[in-house]
Amino acid sequence: MPPNITPQATQRPVRRFNLVRCVAICCLALIVLVGLVVLITWLAIRPRKLDYTLQNGSLQNFNLNNNRHLNATFDFVLVAYNPNSRTSVYYDFMESEVSYKDQTLAFGSTDPFFQPHRDTTRVESRLMATNLALSPSAYKDLRREKSSGEIKIDVHFRSRVRFKVARASPIFQRLDELVHVFTCVFDLKFDCDDGNSDRVVDANADKRRRRQIF
């Protein structure tokens, strides 16, 4: 007589895997939805480009001696305008540099500051070259320009800014690094044979932007 075979109970599929997959899909959909909301909101209120103008410049105590050393004081006023109506700007730092050809003549920085929306801010910089040793080529060209009565230099302004949308969470902040370069021509209207002068010389600023990371 054949043995009795007891039928085994059919095992039901475990639903734990389906539950985990459902939770994962819901989380992914929520992340995509939040990302779309952030993107659409940012595109709707994205900030306009900031405007910079080099309003004034002066050169004082210019002294170029025969040992290829330079002493000079450069003063500049940079006007920064924020045209945005709902976006303010935090300047983490602003660095300024005076260069001639490929050589840096003077360097400085300003303290961090805050600029509200639709605001104009004046940033004053005083950069000093103290007994600066020039390269032979820079000394030769600078002395030739000085004798001709005009000196052309570049002024670099580099800053790191954060845009903050009014009444928005920190997720709507954006971090940028800005670089602006102005070319200034100092018109030396004095006898510069001895290489010394205390006269303030105005600078004509070229407002071109050579490089801007935005």
Side-chain angles (χ1 to χ4, degrees):
M1 182 175 181
N4 294 330
I5 300 177
T6 304
Q8 296 181 355
T10 305
Q11 295 182 355
R12 295 183 179 180
V14 181
R15 296 185 177 181
R16 184 179 301 175
F17 176 75
N18 292 337
L19 180 61
V20 173
R21 183 173 61 180
C22 181
V23 172
I25 293 176
C26 291
C27 292
L28 181 60
L30 181 61
I31 293 174
V32 172
L33 180 61
V34 173
L36 288 176
V37 171
V38 172
L39 178 61
I40 294 174
T41 305
W42 180 254
L43 291 177
I45 57 178
R46 59 181 175 179
R48 297 163 57 188
K49 290 184 178 181
L50 306 176
D51 182 69
Y52 296 92
T53 303
L54 191 59
Q55 190 177 70
N56 191 23
S58 65
L59 170 62
Q60 305 178 58
N61 306 320
F62 187 85
N63 184 358
L64 185 62
N65 59 38
N66 294 328
N67 294 326
R68 301 206 312 266
H69 284 75
L70 172 69
N71 291 277
T73 302
F74 303 89
D75 290 287
F76 300 100
V77 177
L78 180 71
V79 177
Y81 174 60
N82 178 14
N84 299 283
S85 59
R86 291 182 294 176
T87 305
S88 54
V89 184
Y90 295 88
Y91 284 82
D92 293 335
F93 68 83
M94 177 176 286
E95 299 173 342
S96 50
E97 175 187 316
V98 175
S99 63
Y100 179 78
K101 306 298 183 180
D102 294 329
Q103 183 166 2
T104 299
L105 303 182
F107 178 86
S109 61
T110 60
D111 295 329
F113 62 93
F114 169 75
Q115 186 177 35
H117 56 85
R118 293 192 179 278
D119 179 76
T120 300
T121 303
R122 290 167 52 92
V123 182
E124 298 182 0
S125 301
R126 165 162 285 197
L127 310 177
M128 301 182 65
T130 304
N131 202 28
L132 176 68
L134 299 174
S135 65
S137 59
Y139 172 77
K140 180 180 178 180
D141 295 339
L142 188 59
R143 191 168 186 84
R144 182 175 63 252
E145 289 191 13
K146 179 174 177 288
S147 301
S148 68
E150 285 189 353
I151 294 178
K152 180 184 293 186
I153 62 171
D154 286 335
V155 187
H156 305 246
F157 292 94
R158 175 177 170 266
S159 58
R160 187 175 64 190
V161 300
R162 288 178 288 127
F163 294 93
K164 178 65 169 61
V165 180
R167 298 184 182 87
S169 64
I171 198 172
F172 290 104
Q173 288 191 4
R174 192 180 79 184
L175 181 66
D176 283 322
E177 182 178 295
L178 311 180
V179 178
H180 289 76
V181 181
F182 299 87
T183 297
C184 298
V185 179
F186 290 95
D187 187 11
L188 308 181
K189 300 184 182 303
F190 57 88
D191 184 5
C192 55
D193 289 338
D194 57 358
N196 293 277
S197 176
D198 293 328
R199 179 174 178 175
V200 176
V201 182
D202 293 332
N204 299 315
D206 179 8
K207 301 177 185 178
R208 62 188 173 90
R209 294 188 177 102
R210 182 176 299 172
R211 183 165 63 97
Q212 178 176 351
I213 307 173
F214 214 100

